[in-house]
Amino acid sequence: MERIDAEKISGLLLAKGLKVRVFVEEKLESTNVEAMQMLSSHSLPFALFARSQTAGKGRLGRAWFSGGGSVCVSVAADIPFGARAAESFTVRAGIGICDALSSACGAELFIKWPNDIWSAAGEKLCGMLAEMRICPDGSRKIIFGVGLNYSLAGERIPGELKGRITDLLSLAKREITINEAAAEIVSAVVSAGHNMFSEDLASSFSRYDILKGKRISVSAGAEDFSGTADGVDDFGHLRVLIGDESVRLVSGGEASLKKNF
């Protein structure tokens, strides 16, 4: 298997008409942490890859498992609109990643709101984490971290993750190299910043929504409740149908499939 290579990824991005500075480090604790530190000294957009990540950041403070066959990247980009628009960035980037990887290799991918990409069998393939910085001039910059399991062959998977994760090569119907997958991810994230209002978010999300119509449990702040997932609104908020068919919008928190349903 080829290794993550800055020159190859840059060339693939240029072929798409995207000029993105690409950095590759052998080992980092967290690409998101390092990319945040690079904001003040590098022009945007840029992408920072780590061939090995020892303390990857997951959502809600969780650790992210990343083996030698992982794509670990943080993309830094400008957010040209206000804070309200930035709320939808993770959902838009997730749609873009699903679009790009599905087109490139024929994999059947789904989004588990708000920040996971799953297989049809409900196995996790990819995690996403967005962190925003508001600069003194009021501009907003996003650090968007992506951890993709490209290949799990030969990996020692932690016991608690066995049967719960999968990799792109297992799902792909056409050949895709790790650098091609990496370029597709960077392209999708950069494009999400350029096209914040270019499509109907709810309609686009529905193509990949693995929770749609299913009973879910939601944890939002100090509150837990159940309902039926009903897609997202124009800002990427999860729509949850409660018993009397009233709708609750969830802007942050965690949604999981309700057991025994």
Side-chain angles (χ1 to χ4, degrees), residues 58-64 90 111-118 124 126-129 164 211 215-227 229 236-240 248-258:
R59 194 164 177 272
L60 302 178
R62 297 172 182 144
W64 170 256
T90 297
I111 298 172
K112 199 280 277 183
W113 185 93
N115 66 327
D116 290 340
I117 296 177
W118 282 9
K124 185 172 178 176
C126 177
M128 303 173 287
L129 178 66
R164 298 176 57 193
L211 297 181
R215 291 285 295 173
I216 59 172
S217 298
V218 179
S219 294
E223 185 180 11
D224 297 328
F225 64 94
S226 299
H237 302 155
L238 181 67
R239 290 171 47 91
V240 183
R248 289 194 60 172
L249 296 176
V250 183
S251 60
E254 191 79 4
S256 57
L257 289 170
K258 200 168 177 61

Side-chain angles (χ1 to χ4, degrees), residues 6-52:
E7 187 174 342
K8 288 182 179 179
I9 295 169
S10 295
L12 290 164
L13 290 169
L14 280 173
K16 295 175 177 290
L18 293 174
K19 191 172 183 180
V20 181
R21 296 190 70 188
V22 178
F23 303 90
V24 177
E25 297 290 342
E26 195 64 37
K27 181 183 287 188
L28 289 173
E29 289 189 358
S30 165
T31 57
N32 259 33
V33 170
E34 186 70 18
M36 191 67 76
Q37 295 173 352
M38 292 168 62
L39 280 179
S40 60
S41 57
H42 291 80
S43 58
L44 275 57
F46 68 80
L48 173 65
F49 289 85
R51 293 195 178 106
S52 174

Side-chain angles (χ1 to χ4, degrees), residues 3-211:
R3 305 180 80 205
I4 290 288
D5 184 277
E7 187 174 342
K8 288 182 179 179
I9 295 169
S10 295
L12 290 164
L13 290 169
L14 280 173
K16 295 175 177 290
L18 293 174
K19 191 172 183 180
V20 181
R21 296 190 70 188
V22 178
F23 303 90
V24 177
E25 297 290 342
E26 195 64 37
K27 181 183 287 188
L28 289 173
E29 289 189 358
S30 165
T31 57
N32 259 33
V33 170
E34 186 70 18
M36 191 67 76
Q37 295 173 352
M38 292 168 62
L39 280 179
S40 60
S41 57
H42 291 80
S43 58
L44 275 57
F46 68 80
L48 173 65
F49 289 85
R51 293 195 178 106
S52 174
Q53 186 174 234
T54 60
K57 296 175 65 177
R59 194 164 177 272
L60 302 178
R62 297 172 182 144
W64 170 256
F65 166 76
S66 56
S70 297
V71 175
C72 302
V73 60
S74 291
V75 182
D78 287 305
I79 298 292
F81 300 98
R84 189 92 195 269
E87 290 184 62
S88 68
F89 192 92
T90 297
V91 170
R92 290 184 185 278
I95 293 168
I97 291 170
C98 285
D99 276 339
L101 292 178
S102 296
S103 297
C105 69
E108 188 178 15
L109 306 178
F110 297 88
I111 298 172
K112 199 280 277 183
W113 185 93
N115 66 327
D116 290 340
I117 296 177
W118 282 9
S119 69
E123 298 163 314
K124 185 172 178 176
L125 169 76
C126 177
M128 303 173 287
L129 178 66
E131 298 184 276
M132 189 171 67
R133 172 177 287 180
I134 302 176
C135 300
D137 62 1
S139 64
R140 291 171 170 82
K141 303 182 188 301
I142 196 105
I143 299 293
F144 195 81
V146 179
L148 170 78
N149 297 324
Y150 172 75
S151 173
L152 292 173
E155 295 288 351
R156 297 183 63 180
I157 301 171
E160 68 273 15
L161 296 180
K162 288 182 178 178
R164 298 176 57 193
I165 62 176
T166 188
D167 60 62
L168 188 64
L169 289 191
S170 297
L171 302 174
K173 295 179 172 58
R174 297 186 296 276
E175 184 178 353
I176 184 171
T177 69
I178 193 168
N179 286 301
E180 288 169 340
E184 294 293 352
I185 289 170
V186 174
S187 174
V189 175
V190 172
S191 297
H194 293 164
N195 304 311
M196 295 293 281
F197 295 110
S198 62
E199 59 183 347
D200 182 334
L201 183 60
S203 176
S204 297
F205 184 77
S206 68
R207 301 197 305 268
Y208 300 109
D209 185 4
I210 201 166
L211 297 181

